[in-house]
Amino acid sequence: MGCSSTLLPTPPHLHRHHPTPSLSPPHFNRRSLLFLSTTLTLPTTLSIAAPSSPDTTITDRVFLDFSICPNYFTNRNLGDDLSSCSDIEPIGRVILGLYGNIVPITVSNFKAMCNGSSGSTYKGTLVQKIFPGQFFMAGRQGRRDKGEVKPPMKLVRNVETVESKAFVLGHSRSGVVSLNLSENDDDDDLKMNPEYHNVEFLITTGPGPCPQLDNKNIVFGTVLEGLDIVTTIAAIPTYTPSKNIRQYNDFAEFIGDGRAKNARAIWNKPLKTVYISDCGELKVAKPTLSPSLP
């Protein structure tokens, strides 16, 4: 007798069920989110130290007396002793505070030009150019008989002109004093001389800042007294070429006509002869004064 086998159903408790995983994001209720926010450790924020402010403590003071020489255009020679300038019209005195902690070489050389220990001096030299509403320039180096600064032979080499830290201050307001590093850029023979020293300076006249001067000139001081004198100088009329002359000059420069550069030399020159009639260093009982913002 054959035997027959009967297939019995598998008991329910032995079934293996593999549910399909859900792709939807988990749901968090408000309580879950609050719990996570108190238990998760957030990454620590890195603290970035703020850059230190430049030390604008005033370490030295100098003065510049400005005057007008009515007859300069007659003889074109102020003379070292100003003897050829008659009927002098004083404008007034400007006192400058210098930032010797930021740019000590620039400040030391400027003082030497004011007190004459450099072998030269700003005394008897012209305000070369005035840019209304911006700044005026003085102390250009060149020929003494043209009212320019005699080349100083006793100044130390100013290595600050190539140091980035010397350019940290900007021309942010009126009364900022800076060393004009573009002096005599149009005279390669003079500027390439190993004995050459930058001595021309500028003073901003306001009313607004001059950001176009930033990172190109070294700010080394500020006007402490006599800002009204600076404003008076800024208001002196200058030679301003017409639009046609400017266009003609641009074309002449484009075709390489050397006369274009010579013509531009008189642009923005004051129509009155403004010059530094005296200058020097002021000795004070307390040489370190309160800081002055740039």
Side-chain angles (χ1 to χ4, degrees), residues 29-40:
N29 57 29
R30 186 169 182 269
R31 174 175 296 208
S32 300
L33 292 174
L34 289 173
F35 175 77
L36 287 174
S37 67
T38 57
T39 57
L40 291 179

Side-chain angles (χ1 to χ4, degrees), residues 12-80:
H13 67 279
L14 296 180
H15 276 291
R16 294 180 181 274
H17 178 64
H18 300 282
T20 303
S22 173
L23 298 179
S24 60
H27 174 71
F28 296 99
N29 57 29
R30 186 169 182 269
R31 174 175 296 208
S32 300
L33 292 174
L34 289 173
F35 175 77
L36 287 174
S37 67
T38 57
T39 57
L40 291 179
T41 303
L42 297 178
T44 304
T45 303
L46 294 178
S47 58
I48 301 176
S52 58
S53 300
D55 186 357
T56 55
T57 301
I58 293 169
T59 57
D60 306 272
R61 294 196 299 179
V62 298
F63 71 90
L64 301 172
D65 290 342
F66 291 92
S67 300
I68 293 176
C69 180
N71 66 328
Y72 170 74
F73 286 105
T74 303
N75 53 41
R76 288 285 179 176
N77 191 343
L78 288 174
D80 286 346

Side-chain angles (χ1 to χ4, degrees), residues 245-253 259-261 263-264 267:
I245 291 178
R246 288 182 179 274
Q247 291 176 341
Y248 180 80
N249 187 275
D250 290 342
F251 177 74
E253 183 179 27
R259 291 174 296 179
K261 180 177 68 175
R264 287 197 303 273
W267 294 4

Side-chain angles (χ1 to χ4, degrees), residues 11-288:
H13 67 279
L14 296 180
H15 276 291
R16 294 180 181 274
H17 178 64
H18 300 282
T20 303
S22 173
L23 298 179
S24 60
H27 174 71
F28 296 99
N29 57 29
R30 186 169 182 269
R31 174 175 296 208
S32 300
L33 292 174
L34 289 173
F35 175 77
L36 287 174
S37 67
T38 57
T39 57
L40 291 179
T41 303
L42 297 178
T44 304
T45 303
L46 294 178
S47 58
I48 301 176
S52 58
S53 300
D55 186 357
T56 55
T57 301
I58 293 169
T59 57
D60 306 272
R61 294 196 299 179
V62 298
F63 71 90
L64 301 172
D65 290 342
F66 291 92
S67 300
I68 293 176
C69 180
N71 66 328
Y72 170 74
F73 286 105
T74 303
N75 53 41
R76 288 285 179 176
N77 191 343
L78 288 174
D80 286 346
D81 59 357
L82 307 178
S83 58
S84 60
C85 186
S86 59
D87 300 323
I88 297 174
E89 301 174 8
I91 301 176
R93 171 168 291 190
V94 177
I95 296 178
L96 309 178
L98 310 181
Y99 305 143
N101 292 337
I102 301 178
V103 281
I105 299 176
T106 301
V107 166
S108 177
N109 282 354
F110 186 75
K111 286 194 304 178
M113 289 297 300
C114 289
N115 60 31
S117 62
S118 65
S120 183
T121 178
Y122 290 127
K123 183 177 179 179
T125 61
L126 300 176
V127 171
Q128 297 291 339
K129 292 194 175 185
I130 300 173
F131 296 85
Q134 300 179 63
F135 60 95
F136 69 79
M137 299 160 54
R140 179 182 173 90
Q141 187 176 169
R143 293 173 51 184
R144 186 66 175 178
D145 61 345
K146 293 174 60 179
E148 298 173 338
V149 171
K150 182 177 69 174
M153 304 303 294
K154 298 180 182 180
L155 291 183
V156 300
R157 178 63 55 189
N158 191 350
V159 296
E160 292 168 348
T161 60
V162 294
E163 294 179 354
S164 58
K165 64 180 183 180
F167 298 86
V168 294
L169 299 179
H171 302 73
S172 56
R173 56 176 176 80
S174 58
V176 172
V177 186
S178 67
L179 187 67
N180 179 25
L181 297 185
S182 64
E183 178 195 26
N184 288 314
D185 276 352
D186 55 351
D187 192 337
D188 293 336
D189 292 338
L190 179 62
K191 196 143 191 176
M192 296 305 292
N193 188 321
E195 299 299 324
Y196 181 81
H197 301 278
N198 283 99
V199 293
E200 187 175 40
F201 64 95
L202 60 87
I203 301 178
T204 57
T205 60
C210 294
Q212 74 276 17
L213 300 175
D214 295 347
N215 303 312
K216 299 177 182 178
N217 307 282
I218 298 178
V219 174
F220 65 90
T222 184
V223 173
L224 295 178
E225 298 179 30
L227 194 56
D228 57 326
I229 306 303
V230 171
T231 304
T232 299
I233 295 173
I236 293 175
T238 61
Y239 171 71
T240 304
S242 66
K243 182 179 179 180
N244 289 339
I245 291 178
R246 288 182 179 274
Q247 291 176 341
Y248 180 80
N249 187 275
D250 290 342
F251 177 74
E253 183 179 27
F254 176 75
I255 64 176
D257 190 335
R259 291 174 296 179
K261 180 177 68 175
N262 295 332
R264 287 197 303 273
I266 65 171
W267 294 4
N268 297 106
K269 278 189 173 292
L271 297 180
K272 293 183 179 182
T273 305
V274 187
Y275 73 103
I276 300 172
S277 51
D278 198 8
C279 56
E281 183 179 359
L282 292 174
K283 300 294 184 179
V284 293
K286 184 180 179 182
T288 302

Side-chain angles (χ1 to χ4, degrees), residues 1-9:
M1 180 175 70
C3 67
S4 63
S5 62
T6 303
L7 295 175
L8 297 178

